[in-house]
Amino acid sequence: MATSHVLITRKRLLVLLIILIVLIILLMTRVGYWSLWKGPDLKAQAESQWVKDVEVSAKRGSIMDRNQQILAQSAAADTVVLLPEKIAKAENANEIADQLSQILEMDREEIYQKATNTEKKEIWLKRQISMEQSEQIEALNLQGVAFRDDVKRFYPNKDFAAQVIGYTTLDGEGQTGIERRYNTTLSGRAGRQVAETAKDGSGVPNGQEMMIQPQDGLNVVLTIDEITQSFLETACKQLYDIQSPESVQGLVMDVTNGEVLAMANIPEFDLNSPPREDAEALSALSTNVITANSYEPGNILEIFTAAAALDSGTVSGEYICTGTHAVDGEVIVCNSAHGSQDLDNAVLNHCNVGAAMQADAMGRDVFYQYLKGFGFGTKTGIDFSTDTAGDMIEKRYARKADVAMMGAGADIGISQMQLASAAASLVNGGTLYTPKMVLGLSDAEGNMVETYAPEAKGQTVTEDTAAQIKSIMENRAQSDGISIAGYSIGAICGTANQYKDGIIVQGNMISTYIAYAPADNPKYMVMITATGIPATEKAEMVCAPYVQETLDGALKNGNIMPSENVSEQEKVTVPNVVGMELQEARDILANAGLQVSYDGSGTVVSQVPAADEEVYKNNTVVLVMETKTMQQEGNEMVTVPDFTGMDIITARNTAISSGLVFVARGSGVAQDQSPAAGTQVSKGSNIVIDFKLQIASEQ
């Protein structure tokens, strides 16, 4: 019996021991699960309840023209946020939904659902609201409704150089154009703010806080000149309105260094409100056709074929055109039977047969060498977000017939940027430059921190060849009747087939005209292309008047003095018309013997040339009008206050109370403003104020 009792006791102890071991293992497993496996998550949740870690956005840099006139900048804006825990305590979710739905024009139920979602500490309701909306919400003093500082990208000139500048997302990420190409440079580096907080998100008295300051982005300074850009856009819009093509592109280039002074694509769009809801339309409107798309250039390419023939020494004494020319079974068709002609006349006649003969005489290797030398078939290297290489048959696959066709501008795809760069090389004596759109980078004080020098890529033809080709171009300008008083001009032009889905659009053409001046010492070249014009005998002349108008403006804006009859021209002093109404300013300038160019209405904000400068009589004075830079919201007029010496908060409140939209540049104390104090502007106009830090002088 005793033995049996002992065995039972031992069995019971063994069972208890096993149960205890199992419990210990389960407990250790549970502890390990929460401490090792779930530990990091629990720690993160705990920290999220008492630590607030917020990214501090860096200020995005501005985009400026070559004279550091603002084309794109970031302005302060408010974002409305909801604090559900505070709203729950105040029990005012219904009031918030009722009030904010009206002010923000949002769905009431959506606001109510967010306001009652206590699983989140903070919910962003609507970003980048207007100042008027901020004021209305602030006046309600709603518990659980707060504001967060936000930044909105602002384009003072709306659709000005839209495809060049590009646009950003609401978060400030560059999507197209310079905004995309230099996104990292413009964005800067974000900072962080870490602070202890209470459960409801409010601050803790004497709590610890750490701040890593953001590094603001740099400004991108373009080669674009705002005045020359205005001349080009005005001319392109006139062509678009009068001739009704599908699209118009224009470009102004300094042929001495490859800098692009102006670039336009019509139709354009307002960068402040891009049609984001229609991706297809936005893509079409925002594409910079000049750099992104290739097309079959047609007979304008024949000038380069002729230059290559001259430079390679393969020119024939005459080119007999019967209207067609067969090469290895392929027939090149000309616009007319020109008969016997020399090289000059073959170019002036747009003779496809003559160009095909020139390319055929050079042979594949030599002709391809020159095509590559002109930059066709490779990217231009332009500092922009798009840069197509075009479409050219690989040399090893090119037949003799392909070479002849390419000589006449067919079976090859090039971009307008490639065409302009190649033409500039003929104009400047044979140097092919990498086209430039950015001069460099500047800091918040306007100091250049990086500059980009012109880059010569190579020699396309010799100076002697370029001189002979320029003589042909001058004859073209004279025969076309393109002239600007006091300047010698050269020109080339041509037409090309328009394609859609790989099929020629019957009855429509692409027209291109290029002109440069002064012909004896070239500086500026203007190119305008219109797509979708009627195929008429003089289709190549569609763009000519608008090229002439733009070139005239570029020469005068660039202070290129006339080379003819200069001594006979009278000089006059430019009157000061800033602040005057348009008609009064025009009358005063006309009485002084000056021409006037303007875009907009209202009062004159600035003028070029400036007051008291001496210029030749009949020169053009460019007026920058109030409506060009100010967004109007009504007809009520207000007087602009003097913001000099105010800090940002005071200036903002003053602007708002005056009915103006506040746009700040820099930090510190107000030093300058546009428009000037005392100017009459429409209520709702923008007031741009420059703030600078005051540095105490050494004692």
Side-chain angles (χ1 to χ4, degrees), residues 255-572:
V255 300
T256 65
N257 55 23
E259 291 180 0
V260 176
L261 301 177
M263 185 180 283
N265 289 260
I266 310 298
E268 72 285 25
F269 65 104
D270 187 346
L271 290 169
N272 293 304
S273 54
R276 302 180 194 273
E277 68 285 349
D278 189 338
E280 185 176 349
L282 181 57
S283 176
L285 286 171
S286 60
T287 298
N288 186 352
V289 175
I290 295 172
T291 61
N293 295 359
S294 65
Y295 74 114
E296 188 179 84
N299 54 32
I300 198 169
L301 196 76
E302 293 170 3
I303 193 77
F304 304 102
T305 304
L310 273 172
D311 206 64
S312 62
T314 58
V315 173
S316 172
E318 66 173 353
Y319 299 96
I320 299 175
C321 172
T322 62
T324 60
H325 180 64
V327 179
D328 284 351
E330 294 281 352
V331 178
I332 291 92
V333 179
C334 198
N335 54 19
S336 178
H338 297 110
S340 176
Q341 56 194 336
D342 59 12
L343 180 113
D344 289 20
N345 284 318
V347 174
L348 292 171
N349 291 333
H350 294 306
C351 183
N352 295 338
V353 169
M357 289 178 174
Q358 293 159 26
D360 190 30
M362 277 183 276
R364 182 179 66 178
D365 290 344
V366 173
F367 186 51
Y368 262 76
Q369 177 186 336
Y370 278 96
L371 288 177
K372 291 288 186 180
F374 280 119
F376 303 131
T378 58
K379 293 184 177 182
T380 65
I382 189 170
D383 42 3
F384 195 68
S385 57
T386 53
D387 182 19
T388 182
D391 185 18
M392 193 164 72
I393 303 169
E394 284 190 43
K395 187 174 74 171
R396 57 181 173 169
Y397 299 126
R399 304 167 301 153
K400 191 174 183 180
D402 296 325
V403 171
M405 294 290 285
M406 285 191 288
D411 288 354
I412 182 174
I414 68 172
S415 71
Q416 294 180 37
M417 192 71 255
Q418 289 174 322
L419 176 62
S421 295
S425 76
L426 294 178
V427 171
N428 68 27
T431 303
L432 182 70
Y433 285 98
T434 299
K436 280 183 59 181
M437 293 203 69
V438 176
L439 279 179
L441 309 176
S442 71
D443 60 21
E445 303 301 319
N447 303 310
M448 296 297 292
V449 296
E450 284 188 36
T451 54
Y452 306 134
E455 178 189 352
K457 298 171 70 173
Q459 196 77 10
T460 56
V461 293
T462 65
E463 287 190 25
D464 287 343
T465 298
Q468 293 181 67
I469 294 297
K470 285 195 290 182
S471 176
I472 298 174
M473 294 181 184
E474 290 180 53
N475 289 335
R476 164 61 66 192
Q478 290 175 9
S479 64
D480 291 343
I482 302 301
S483 64
I484 300 173
Y487 301 92
S488 54
I489 297 178
I492 54 175
C493 60
T495 56
N497 290 321
Q498 181 184 354
Y499 287 83
K500 186 174 183 180
D501 299 328
I503 301 172
I504 294 176
V505 179
Q506 297 298 326
N508 276 9
M509 301 291 289
I510 299 173
S511 174
T512 301
Y513 204 94
I514 301 174
Y516 66 91
D520 52 353
N521 186 23
K523 178 64 174 175
Y524 298 133
M525 182 186 77
V526 177
M527 178 180 78
I528 294 180
T529 298
T531 299
I533 60 150
T536 63
E537 278 189 32
K538 285 294 184 180
E540 69 271 12
M541 290 294 293
V542 168
C543 302
Y546 308 98
V547 169
Q548 175 182 290
E549 178 184 332
T550 305
L551 184 58
D552 185 20
L555 290 166
K556 290 170 181 174
N557 182 49
N559 290 319
I560 305 300
M561 294 296 102
S563 57
E564 301 171 11
N565 302 320
V566 175
S567 59
E568 300 176 7
Q569 294 193 26
E570 178 186 347
K571 281 191 172 184
V572 296

Side-chain angles (χ1 to χ4, degrees), residues 58-64 72 153 182-189 215-221 440-445 447-450 452:
K59 183 180 179 182
R60 189 174 179 86
S62 298
I63 299 175
M64 306 175 173
R153 202 60 170 165
Y182 285 87
N183 184 61
T184 303
T185 301
L186 290 163
S187 296
R189 189 174 59 200
Q215 182 178 321
D216 292 343
L218 293 172
N219 303 321
V220 175
V221 182
L441 309 176
S442 71
D443 60 21
E445 303 301 319
N447 303 310
M448 296 297 292
V449 296
E450 284 188 36
Y452 306 134

